[in-house]
Amino acid sequence: MKKAERFSFCSEGILIEGETEPLKIDLLVLATGFKGVHKLKTTFTSATFRDLMDKDTRLPLYRECIHPRIPQLAFIGVSESIANLFTSEMTCRWLAELLDGTFKLPSITEMEEDVCQWNNYMKQSLGESYSRSCLGAVQIWYNDQLCKDMGWKPHRKKGPFRELFEPYGPMDYS
């Protein structure tokens, strides 16, 4: 574990500001806490990464997890919802299936178009003041997208009446 204000990626792993040797790593976890998006925008020493993070008031993430221009970097827990733990758990499962090779990411252009469509939908639903990624109103739609990507049936209830009238919850995705 290493606490760092700023770092940069390199071919050997990461270089932490103030350190002379890069850290050879396989996995980097950024536990940003509150105001995580702001911290992410100021964490990178690379101007390219900082610029990619600062294009919008929110992070432009495909499936609220992967930046189309930095697909090797995943974000968990950036999106808010009614039940953040459940959203993060679904996103972690989606990421695990992606890393396991169950499915592949679309092209950068396709991911950016999807992000743009998502943002447009959210702005229509929440108004122009929409500035944070909140899945509360579209939780089932979001989970359906993740399920389709992973090759799961998005309809999780047993029977059409239950599908139409019973609320979805975490146990429906176990």
Side-chain angles (χ1 to χ4, degrees):
M1 300 277 265
K2 185 87 172 170
K3 185 176 180 176
E5 292 295 320
R6 298 176 77 86
F7 67 93
S8 61
F9 293 101
C10 61
S11 59
E12 295 85 26
I14 63 168
L15 185 57
I16 296 177
E17 191 174 65
E19 298 285 330
T20 57
E21 295 291 320
L23 291 174
K24 293 174 174 75
I25 62 166
D26 294 320
L27 177 68
L28 172 66
V29 176
L30 299 174
T32 60
F34 296 105
K35 298 183 183 177
V37 174
H38 171 73
K39 289 176 185 173
L40 287 171
K41 289 179 179 181
T42 60
T43 296
F44 296 106
T45 57
S46 161
T48 304
F49 279 14
R50 276 198 317 268
D51 290 346
L52 287 172
M53 295 295 154
D54 207 21
K55 294 261 185 234
D56 203 317
T57 55
R58 56 180 297 276
L59 289 177
L61 302 176
Y62 176 73
R63 297 296 192 254
E64 302 298 310
C65 182
I66 303 286
H67 193 292
R69 299 275 170 178
I70 319 170
Q72 63 273 46
L73 181 63
F75 300 88
I76 303 294
V78 173
S79 298
E80 297 177 15
S81 68
I82 295 168
N84 284 349
L85 287 176
F86 175 53
T87 301
S88 294
E89 184 178 355
M90 282 296 293
T91 309
C92 284
R93 181 60 189 260
W94 180 87
L95 181 60
E97 295 286 334
L98 172 67
L99 294 174
D100 201 32
T102 302
F103 64 95
K104 302 252 185 268
L105 290 174
S107 70
I108 291 172
T109 303
E110 291 171 311
M111 286 192 286
E112 288 177 335
E113 287 172 1
D114 187 86
V115 169
C116 185
Q117 288 175 348
W118 182 266
N119 283 341
N120 289 339
Y121 176 80
M122 296 302 278
K123 284 178 183 173
Q124 284 177 346
S125 300
L126 301 172
E128 287 301 317
S129 62
Y130 162 68
S131 63
R132 293 188 340 211
S133 183
C134 181
L135 299 170
V138 293
Q139 184 75 47
I140 294 172
W141 180 39
Y142 175 72
N143 289 336
D144 286 352
Q145 287 182 319
L146 298 182
C147 287
K148 288 175 189 174
D149 289 348
M150 294 185 287
W152 299 356
K153 294 185 307 183
H155 301 292
R156 312 292 292 172
K157 298 289 185 178
K158 293 180 180 161
F161 290 110
R162 288 184 172 176
E163 188 65 42
L164 288 171
F165 298 110
E166 283 186 4
Y168 269 83
M171 293 306 295
D172 293 311
Y173 298 92
S174 62

